[in-house]
Each structure stands twice: as structure tokens, then as C-alpha cells.
Amino acid sequence: MSIVFWIRRFFVVFAVALLVIGGAQLLRGHTLSYAITEGLIWSTISATVFTATRVYHSRRAHHCALCRDTPEQDMAP
């Protein structure tokens, strides 16, 4: 898979995690600046770990049967 695929995957995970974590912090009553800061920190960590483990498993040809989101699996029945 190309580097563009993994960069796109990173930013999708990053954006979703930022929304969820930042929104959770706002619901807990924290200020907007605190929620954004926490969201940025933890979404960066989460997206990095997620993407790194997916790259690791992809290079060893261990694909997630549940996800079916890698290009190799789009061809499978």
C-alpha cells in the first residue's frame, strides 16, 4: 500500500478521535481550549498507535477480517 493510503488513514482516525475526545471533554464541563488541547494530544497518540499497528500487521499479511478496509481485501469475495 502506498504512503498516501496510510497518511489518509492517519488523518481520518485523527479527526474522528479529535471529535470524540474533544466532545467528551466539553460534555464533562471543561472549557473549549482545554477540550481542544486534550483532543489534539490524545487523538495524535491514538492515531499514531492505530496506524502503526495497522502498518505492522499489513506488512506481515495479517488483515482484519472484520474491517475489510485494506485494498487487498476489496478484491476478496
Side-chain angles (χ1 to χ4, degrees):
M1 282 175 273
S2 70
I3 189 75
V4 174
F5 174 80
W6 294 113
I7 291 171
R8 189 176 311 140
R9 170 65 51 84
F10 174 85
F11 282 114
V12 167
V13 173
F14 177 82
V16 171
L18 178 62
L19 290 173
V20 170
I21 294 167
Q25 292 298 327
L26 285 174
L27 288 174
R28 293 182 67 198
H30 294 290
T31 63
L32 181 61
S33 64
Y34 179 83
I36 291 172
T37 303
E38 287 293 307
L40 287 172
I41 292 169
W42 286 106
S43 61
T44 302
I45 293 169
S46 301
T48 301
V49 169
F50 177 82
T51 305
T53 57
R54 295 290 290 160
V55 168
Y56 175 81
H57 289 292
S58 175
R59 288 190 178 173
R60 282 153 183 74
H62 299 152
H63 299 289
C64 177
L66 226 72
C67 303
R68 301 192 65 106
D69 58 354
T70 54
E72 297 92 28
Q73 292 182 322
D74 289 341
M75 302 296 226

